[in-house]
Amino acid sequence: MFNIVSYLLFLSISSYITIDVGRRCFNSGKVYLEYLIKDKYFCLTVNRILLGSYYLVNLGYIAISLSSWGKITSMEEVLATVFSRIGYIILILCFLHFTNILMLYILRKKLTIK
């Protein structure tokens, strides 16, 4: 019973985070990419690729996370398990987001030097 509750809680929270953050990054990223790359069509393509990669990373983590859970026997374990897994998702996505921004910044620097 507790496993089902934890799965539903985890899936609902991680789905919300995935969809909301994905939309925000996609919409805000358009302006940032256009500033860095100066080609609207290429920026849109890069932004779509980043969004697709973002969704794939999330889906992969969610699938691995759900498959590796043990038996949960109390409500405290439900909360601890769900929120630690959500915390890992958030940390991984923050790392990937800032890595993408850094790489795009470095790319822009190299393009403007030439």
Side-chain angles (χ1 to χ4, degrees), residues 98-111:
F98 286 114
T99 302
N100 285 336
I101 289 175
L102 179 64
M103 291 299 120
L104 290 169
Y105 176 76
I106 290 170
L107 174 68
R108 177 66 180 154
K109 282 287 204 183
K110 286 185 179 182
L111 290 175

Side-chain angles (χ1 to χ4, degrees), residues 65-104:
S65 187
L66 285 175
S67 68
S68 66
W69 279 2
K71 180 132 175 79
I72 297 176
T73 58
S74 69
M75 197 59 182
E76 291 83 17
E77 285 182 38
V78 167
L79 294 175
T81 302
V82 167
F83 290 119
S84 67
R85 304 290 173 122
I86 295 294
Y88 286 131
I89 286 177
I90 292 170
L91 288 174
I92 290 168
L93 294 177
C94 287
F95 174 76
L96 291 174
H97 177 69
F98 286 114
T99 302
N100 285 336
I101 289 175
L102 179 64
M103 291 299 120
L104 290 169

Side-chain angles (χ1 to χ4, degrees), residues 41-87:
Y41 298 110
F42 183 66
C43 291
L44 184 59
T45 302
V46 169
N47 206 17
R48 286 180 180 156
I49 290 170
L50 289 172
L51 182 64
S53 300
Y54 166 79
Y55 286 137
L56 288 174
V57 166
N58 273 308
L59 287 173
Y61 177 78
I62 289 168
I64 290 170
S65 187
L66 285 175
S67 68
S68 66
W69 279 2
K71 180 132 175 79
I72 297 176
T73 58
S74 69
M75 197 59 182
E76 291 83 17
E77 285 182 38
V78 167
L79 294 175
T81 302
V82 167
F83 290 119
S84 67
R85 304 290 173 122
I86 295 294

